[in-house]
Amino acid sequence: MVRSTKQYLALFAVLLLATISINAWPASLHPDGSISLLQIVSSFIWLIFLTVSVVLVREEKTLLFVFYYLSFGFVAGTVVYLITFFERYWLGELWFDIVSAIQYPFYYLFAVPLFGFNAWFDVLYGQFALFAGFAYILLAIGVSVRSKRLEAKRLRY
């Protein structure tokens, strides 16, 4: 993989921005738009990159960054789902309109990179954000287990 945290962060940012730019338009148009093979492949690449990060990254700072991104992805997916769930009850309320504006950055940073997988799920964006959040939390658990193993290995020597 990469040798330093700075290189990893650069690769992370480039892949994240590329995946968002590929998936943003179909994610904005869903369910009226269609998801092509390009979006599916970019989502697979992003998921493979995150999975490889969980398995191969050894630096503590980089692991911490990956863990925080994945954990925040779970929280963001849950927030987007809850806002879309309560939207039908509180639509038109000024305070809810202000609070619901927070879902858009969360959706674009965390759910859109995995949006190609919605070709199989074909659900609304709130539900898909929740599914993406669950994928992120599973990977975050993997990072946690990996960091504990690396720490135990360091303590043995």
Side-chain angles (χ1 to χ4, degrees), residues 91-155:
L91 190 63
E93 298 285 334
L94 179 64
W95 68 271
F96 187 73
D97 291 342
I98 292 170
V99 170
S100 68
I102 198 169
Q103 75 177 326
Y104 300 111
F106 286 168
Y107 179 68
Y108 277 94
L109 282 175
F110 298 103
V112 167
L114 296 176
F115 193 76
F117 295 116
N118 204 13
W120 291 289
F121 296 125
D122 197 28
V123 294
L124 296 176
Y125 75 96
Q127 291 171 324
F128 183 76
L130 186 65
F131 293 159
F134 283 132
Y136 285 135
I137 199 65
L138 289 175
L139 289 171
I141 291 169
V143 169
S144 179
V145 168
R146 173 124 172 96
S147 90
K148 299 288 185 215
R149 285 185 183 166
L150 287 174
E151 188 175 329
K153 189 184 273 188
R154 280 188 219 124
L155 291 176

XYZ file of all heavy atoms in Angstrom, residues 91-155:
537
model
N -42.344 17.822 7.779
C -42.078 18.584 6.569
C -42.778 19.941 6.655
O -43.953 20.027 6.979
C -42.563 17.820 5.342
C -42.138 18.396 4.003
C -40.619 18.340 3.883
C -42.763 17.618 2.872
N -42.067 20.989 6.403
C -42.624 22.332 6.467
C -42.338 23.050 7.771
O -42.530 24.265 7.854
N -41.876 22.339 8.774
C -41.495 22.979 10.031
C -40.144 23.662 9.837
O -39.203 23.053 9.320
C -41.383 21.950 11.158
C -42.663 21.227 11.471
C -43.644 22.085 12.245
O -43.209 23.015 12.949
O -44.841 21.828 12.136
N -40.033 24.903 10.242
C -38.809 25.667 10.013
C -37.609 25.036 10.712
O -36.535 24.893 10.122
C -38.986 27.115 10.471
C -37.752 28.003 10.311
C -37.415 28.146 8.832
C -37.979 29.344 10.942
N -37.782 24.629 11.962
C -36.658 24.054 12.698
C -36.195 22.747 12.059
O -35.000 22.461 12.017
C -37.025 23.849 14.172
C -38.061 22.788 14.389
C -39.412 22.930 14.400
C -37.814 21.396 14.592
N -40.029 21.731 14.612
C -39.072 20.759 14.731
C -36.672 20.616 14.682
C -39.202 19.402 14.947
C -36.808 19.259 14.903
C -38.058 18.667 15.035
N -37.117 21.957 11.533
C -36.736 20.699 10.903
C -36.049 20.949 9.568
O -35.118 20.232 9.200
C -37.954 19.802 10.720
C -37.594 18.433 10.226
C -36.979 17.531 11.072
C -37.841 18.064 8.924
C -36.628 16.263 10.630
C -37.497 16.801 8.467
C -36.889 15.906 9.326
N -36.488 21.956 8.827
C -35.827 22.297 7.568
C -34.387 22.731 7.804
O -33.496 22.394 7.025
C -36.589 23.403 6.843
C -37.933 22.928 6.320
O -38.117 21.692 6.207
O -38.788 23.779 6.039
N -34.150 23.435 8.885
C -32.791 23.872 9.224
C -31.945 22.673 9.630
O -30.812 22.514 9.173
C -32.831 24.941 10.342
C -33.473 26.226 9.807
C -31.428 25.220 10.875
C -33.781 27.246 10.872
N -32.493 21.810 10.463
C -31.754 20.631 10.930
C -31.512 19.652 9.780
O -30.446 19.043 9.681
C -32.519 19.940 12.090
C -31.924 18.597 12.430
C -32.517 20.834 13.314
N -32.480 19.525 8.885
C -32.342 18.539 7.811
C -31.296 18.932 6.781
O -30.877 18.093 5.982
C -33.685 18.286 7.136
O -34.096 19.421 6.419
N -30.847 20.163 6.789
C -29.801 20.580 5.849
C -28.477 19.873 6.131
O -27.622 19.796 5.241
C -29.617 22.091 5.904
N -28.310 19.339 7.332
C -27.064 18.647 7.679
C -26.926 17.313 6.945
O -25.820 16.808 6.773
C -26.967 18.442 9.203
C -25.544 18.140 9.595
C -27.888 17.343 9.668
C -25.298 18.171 11.063
N -28.027 16.762 6.452
C -27.964 15.451 5.823
C -27.228 15.472 4.486
O -26.650 14.458 4.094
C -29.352 14.875 5.650
C -30.155 15.497 4.534
C -31.487 14.843 4.355
O -31.616 13.650 4.547
N -32.482 15.633 4.000
N -27.216 16.577 3.780
C -26.643 16.588 2.434
C -25.132 16.404 2.417
O -24.627 15.586 1.643
C -27.092 17.830 1.677
C -28.600 17.865 1.544
C -29.364 18.802 2.218
C -29.260 16.904 0.791
C -30.738 18.803 2.123
C -30.640 16.889 0.697
C -31.369 17.846 1.362
O -32.738 17.822 1.270
N -24.363 17.119 3.258
C -22.918 16.814 3.275
C -22.629 15.384 3.745
O -21.736 14.726 3.206
C -22.326 17.828 4.253
C -23.354 18.845 4.476
C -24.661 18.279 4.079
N -23.389 14.914 4.722
C -23.209 13.538 5.183
C -23.485 12.550 4.061
O -22.741 11.595 3.863
C -24.142 13.232 6.356
C -23.741 13.863 7.659
C -24.623 13.878 8.718
C -22.492 14.438 7.837
C -24.269 14.448 9.920
C -22.138 15.010 9.031
C -23.022 15.012 10.078
N -24.554 12.788 3.332
C -24.931 11.884 2.251
C -23.857 11.853 1.165
O -23.468 10.785 0.699
C -26.276 12.329 1.670
C -26.753 11.486 0.518
C -27.144 10.175 0.721
C -26.810 12.000 -0.767
C -27.591 9.388 -0.327
C -27.257 11.227 -1.822
C -27.638 9.928 -1.595
O -28.069 9.154 -2.632
N -23.355 13.019 0.789
C -22.366 13.058 -0.293
C -20.998 12.539 0.136
O -20.276 11.978 -0.671
C -22.254 14.465 -0.882
C -23.336 14.707 -1.902
C -24.527 15.320 -1.547
C -23.190 14.260 -3.197
C -25.529 15.504 -2.473
C -24.187 14.440 -4.133
C -25.353 15.063 -3.766
O -26.353 15.221 -4.683
N -20.637 12.690 1.385
C -19.318 12.204 1.832
C -19.292 10.715 2.148
O -18.244 10.081 2.028
C -18.862 12.982 3.065
C -18.313 14.368 2.813
C -18.024 15.065 4.134
C -17.068 14.306 1.966
N -20.424 10.159 2.543
C -20.390 8.784 3.022
C -21.252 7.817 2.216
O -20.855 6.666 2.032
C -20.798 8.735 4.500
C -19.857 9.502 5.382
C -20.188 10.750 5.864
C -18.621 8.983 5.706
C -19.325 11.462 6.660
C -17.739 9.687 6.505
C -18.092 10.931 6.984
N -22.413 8.220 1.760
C -23.281 7.288 1.032
C -23.012 7.300 -0.466
O -23.057 6.252 -1.107
C -24.745 7.616 1.298
N -22.716 8.455 -1.021
C -22.510 8.553 -2.472
C -21.324 7.709 -2.956
O -21.426 7.086 -4.017
C -22.403 10.031 -2.902
C -21.886 10.167 -4.312
C -23.763 10.699 -2.772
N -20.200 7.622 -2.223
C -19.127 6.754 -2.729
C -19.525 5.287 -2.887
O -18.955 4.581 -3.702
C -18.024 6.904 -1.679
C -18.248 8.233 -1.090
C -19.736 8.410 -1.078
N -20.500 4.847 -2.164
C -20.968 3.456 -2.270
C -22.262 3.332 -3.063
O -22.872 2.264 -3.090
C -21.174 2.867 -0.868
C -19.930 2.729 -0.007
C -20.302 2.226 1.381
C -18.922 1.811 -0.658
N -22.677 4.391 -3.732
C -23.994 4.422 -4.357
C -24.153 3.427 -5.504
O -25.266 3.045 -5.842
C -24.338 5.826 -4.854
C -25.778 5.968 -5.219
C -26.739 6.076 -4.233
C -26.178 5.944 -6.538
C -28.070 6.179 -4.557
C -27.515 6.048 -6.869
C -28.465 6.165 -5.884
N -23.081 2.977 -6.111
C -23.185 1.992 -7.183
C -23.838 0.702 -6.725
O -24.469 -0.003 -7.520
N -23.728 0.395 -5.443
C -24.360 -0.815 -4.912
C -25.875 -0.702 -4.851
O -26.557 -1.705 -4.679
C -23.808 -1.143 -3.525
C -22.364 -1.499 -3.548
C -21.432 -0.704 -2.906
C -21.917 -2.619 -4.233
C -20.091 -1.029 -2.932
C -20.585 -2.942 -4.274
C -19.662 -2.147 -3.615
N -26.403 0.498 -4.999
C -27.845 0.668 -5.001
C -28.477 0.109 -6.275
O -29.687 0.020 -6.375
C -28.222 2.137 -4.816
C -29.604 2.313 -4.234
O -30.205 1.360 -3.749
N -30.103 3.520 -4.280
N -27.658 -0.289 -7.234
C -28.184 -0.977 -8.416
C -28.838 -2.292 -7.998
O -29.798 -2.735 -8.627
C -27.068 -1.239 -9.416
N -28.340 -2.913 -6.942
C -28.908 -4.169 -6.448
C -29.997 -3.941 -5.411
O -30.969 -4.672 -5.362
C -27.823 -5.067 -5.875
C -26.917 -5.579 -6.937
C -27.215 -6.505 -7.895
C -25.585 -5.159 -7.180
N -26.133 -6.690 -8.715
C -25.112 -5.886 -8.304
C -24.730 -4.247 -6.578
C -23.838 -5.727 -8.813
C -23.461 -4.089 -7.089
C -23.031 -4.827 -8.194
N -29.803 -2.934 -4.557
C -30.784 -2.698 -3.498
C -32.017 -1.961 -4.008
O -33.128 -2.256 -3.616
C -30.170 -1.904 -2.341
C -29.078 -2.616 -1.633
C -27.823 -2.033 -1.496
C -29.273 -3.867 -1.084
C -26.814 -2.680 -0.838
C -28.268 -4.529 -0.421
C -27.020 -3.930 -0.294
N -31.795 -0.953 -4.836
C -32.857 -0.124 -5.405
C -33.797 0.404 -4.324
O -35.008 0.190 -4.364
C -33.633 -0.878 -6.480
C -34.440 0.080 -7.346
O -34.027 1.250 -7.479
O -35.484 -0.343 -7.873
N -33.210 1.096 -3.342
C -33.984 1.693 -2.259
C -33.805 3.211 -2.311
O -32.939 3.727 -3.020
C -33.543 1.145 -0.879
C -33.866 -0.319 -0.757
C -32.071 1.393 -0.630
N -34.607 3.920 -1.561
C -34.493 5.373 -1.499
C -33.208 5.769 -0.775
O -32.595 4.969 -0.073
C -35.712 5.965 -0.808
C -37.038 5.753 -1.544
C -38.194 6.285 -0.727
C -37.001 6.411 -2.918
N -32.818 7.030 -0.925
C -31.509 7.446 -0.440
C -31.338 7.352 1.069
O -30.245 7.089 1.560
C -31.162 8.851 -0.943
C -31.878 9.984 -0.260
C -31.268 10.669 0.784
C -33.138 10.400 -0.663
C -31.902 11.723 1.410
C -33.770 11.449 -0.060
C -33.158 12.110 0.979
O -33.776 13.144 1.593
N -32.394 7.519 1.834
C -32.283 7.397 3.284
C -31.966 5.976 3.713
O -31.101 5.745 4.560
N -32.645 5.029 3.113
C -32.384 3.632 3.428
C -31.003 3.211 2.943
O -30.308 2.459 3.621
C -33.447 2.738 2.808
C -34.798 2.895 3.434
C -35.866 2.164 2.645
O -35.810 2.105 1.424
N -36.843 1.622 3.358
N -30.607 3.699 1.782
C -29.287 3.343 1.285
C -28.195 3.930 2.174
O -27.165 3.285 2.406
C -29.085 3.802 -0.161
C -27.749 3.375 -0.679
C -27.544 2.057 -1.037
C -26.695 4.263 -0.748
C -26.300 1.637 -1.471
C -25.459 3.848 -1.183
C -25.261 2.529 -1.550
N -28.408 5.141 2.681
C -27.427 5.732 3.603
C -27.289 4.871 4.854
O -26.190 4.707 5.382
C -27.835 7.151 3.966
N -28.391 4.303 5.317
C -28.333 3.411 6.477
C -27.559 2.141 6.138
O -26.735 1.677 6.932
C -29.745 3.068 6.951
C -29.839 2.270 8.240
C -29.320 3.092 9.409
C -31.278 1.860 8.495
N -27.788 1.566 4.944
C -27.029 0.389 4.521
C -25.544 0.706 4.420
O -24.709 -0.102 4.830
C -27.537 -0.127 3.176
C -28.928 -0.686 3.202
C -29.661 -0.773 2.041
C -29.520 -1.120 4.375
C -30.948 -1.293 2.048
C -30.793 -1.635 4.395
C -31.514 -1.722 3.229
N -25.211 1.869 3.866
C -23.812 2.274 3.771
C -23.214 2.446 5.167
O -22.063 2.073 5.415
C -23.683 3.570 2.971
N -23.997 2.992 6.088
C -23.533 3.138 7.468
C -23.218 1.808 8.112
O -22.234 1.672 8.847
N -24.029 0.801 7.829
C -23.756 -0.533 8.367
C -22.487 -1.124 7.759
O -21.720 -1.798 8.450
C -24.938 -1.471 8.164
C -26.062 -1.233 9.122
C -27.360 -1.141 8.673
C -25.827 -1.093 10.480
C -28.399 -0.918 9.555
C -26.853 -0.867 11.371
C -28.151 -0.781 10.904
N -22.258 -0.878 6.481
C -21.012 -1.344 5.865
C -19.813 -0.662 6.517
O -18.795 -1.309 6.801
C -21.028 -1.065 4.360
N -19.952 0.626 6.788
C -18.854 1.362 7.431
C -18.599 0.863 8.850
O -17.451 0.755 9.267
C -19.140 2.860 7.448
C -18.961 3.536 6.119
C -19.901 4.436 5.641
C -17.840 3.304 5.335
C -19.739 5.073 4.428
C -17.666 3.934 4.118
C -18.620 4.820 3.674
O -18.442 5.442 2.476
N -19.650 0.555 9.596
C -19.424 0.113 10.971
C -18.801 -1.274 11.005
O -17.982 -1.571 11.881
C -20.709 0.204 11.835
C -20.361 0.207 13.339
C -21.652 -0.928 11.555
C -19.599 1.373 13.808
N -19.140 -2.131 10.050
C -18.486 -3.438 9.982
C -16.987 -3.283 9.713
O -16.161 -3.964 10.326
C -19.130 -4.306 8.910
C -20.534 -4.817 9.210
C -21.094 -5.573 8.008
C -20.521 -5.702 10.436
N -16.649 -2.378 8.815
C -15.229 -2.123 8.555
C -14.546 -1.473 9.759
O -13.384 -1.756 10.045
C -15.066 -1.260 7.303
C -15.382 -1.959 5.985
C -15.408 -0.956 4.844
C -14.376 -3.053 5.708
N -15.261 -0.596 10.474
C -14.689 0.035 11.674
C -14.414 -1.006 12.756
O -13.411 -0.918 13.466
C -15.624 1.120 12.199
N -15.281 -1.991 12.875
C -15.037 -3.081 13.825
C -13.786 -3.840 13.406
O -12.964 -4.226 14.250
C -16.272 -3.996 13.928
C -17.413 -3.256 14.619
C -15.939 -5.287 14.658
C -18.752 -3.960 14.538
N -13.608 -4.040 12.108
C -12.387 -4.676 11.611
C -11.144 -3.881 11.937
O -10.116 -4.445 12.313
N -11.215 -2.562 11.817
C -10.071 -1.710 12.181
C -9.788 -1.825 13.664
O -8.622 -1.907 14.087
C -10.339 -0.232 11.800
C -9.306 0.689 12.409
C -10.359 -0.067 10.303
N -10.834 -1.850 14.468
C -10.649 -1.962 15.918
C -9.969 -3.272 16.294
O -9.021 -3.293 17.092
C -12.005 -1.838 16.605
O -11.871 -1.969 17.984
N -10.440 -4.358 15.704
C -9.841 -5.662 15.982
C -8.391 -5.687 15.508
O -7.497 -6.168 16.205
C -10.662 -6.789 15.304
C -9.929 -8.110 15.318
C -12.015 -6.911 15.981
N -8.147 -5.129 14.341
C -6.784 -5.096 13.790
C -5.852 -4.279 14.673
O -4.724 -4.676 14.931
C -6.821 -4.520 12.380
C -5.456 -4.291 11.793
C -5.310 -5.003 10.496
N -4.077 -4.641 9.842
C -2.978 -5.347 9.945
N -2.985 -6.435 10.662
N -1.884 -4.981 9.337
N -6.295 -3.130 15.137
C -5.421 -2.304 15.973
C -5.130 -2.991 17.306
O -4.031 -2.889 17.831
C -6.024 -0.920 16.182
O -6.842 -0.858 17.291
N -6.112 -3.710 17.855
C -5.874 -4.461 19.099
C -4.849 -5.568 18.878
O -3.980 -5.806 19.717
C -7.172 -5.070 19.625
C -8.234 -4.080 19.958
C -7.926 -3.306 21.196
C -9.117 -2.430 21.524
N -8.773 -1.172 22.086
N -4.928 -6.242 17.730
C -3.953 -7.296 17.425
C -2.555 -6.720 17.238
O -1.577 -7.314 17.696
C -4.363 -8.060 16.172
C -5.488 -9.010 16.395
C -5.760 -9.818 15.159
N -6.900 -10.695 15.369
C -7.522 -11.312 14.413
N -7.137 -11.174 13.160
N -8.549 -12.093 14.680
N -2.469 -5.579 16.549
C -1.157 -4.955 16.361
C -0.570 -4.503 17.693
O 0.628 -4.644 17.931
C -1.261 -3.771 15.399
C -1.469 -4.112 13.933
C -1.700 -2.841 13.121
C -0.290 -4.878 13.380
N -1.420 -3.979 18.563
C -0.949 -3.547 19.880
C -0.502 -4.741 20.710
O 0.528 -4.688 21.396
C -2.068 -2.792 20.590
C -1.619 -2.151 21.879
C -2.736 -1.307 22.475
O -3.541 -0.756 21.717
O -2.772 -1.219 23.716
N -1.233 -5.834 20.645
C -0.845 -7.041 21.384
C 0.468 -7.597 20.844
O 1.315 -8.057 21.613
C -1.939 -8.087 21.295
N 0.667 -7.528 19.557
C 1.903 -8.010 18.955
C 3.082 -7.145 19.389
O 4.160 -7.652 19.683
C 1.791 -7.996 17.436
C 2.952 -8.679 16.738
C 2.839 -8.556 15.224
C 2.010 -9.683 14.707
N 2.017 -9.735 13.230
N 2.867 -5.832 19.484
C 3.936 -4.931 19.950
C 4.298 -5.186 21.396
O 5.447 -5.077 21.791
C 3.497 -3.468 19.782
C 3.648 -2.961 18.405
C 3.391 -1.465 18.357
N 2.664 -1.206 17.129
C 1.500 -0.599 17.034
N 0.914 -0.117 18.105
N 0.915 -0.432 15.888
N 3.300 -5.499 22.208
C 3.547 -5.717 23.630
C 4.275 -7.044 23.898
O 4.949 -7.179 24.903
C 2.227 -5.692 24.407
C 1.552 -4.319 24.494
C 0.211 -4.461 25.197
C 2.426 -3.312 25.205
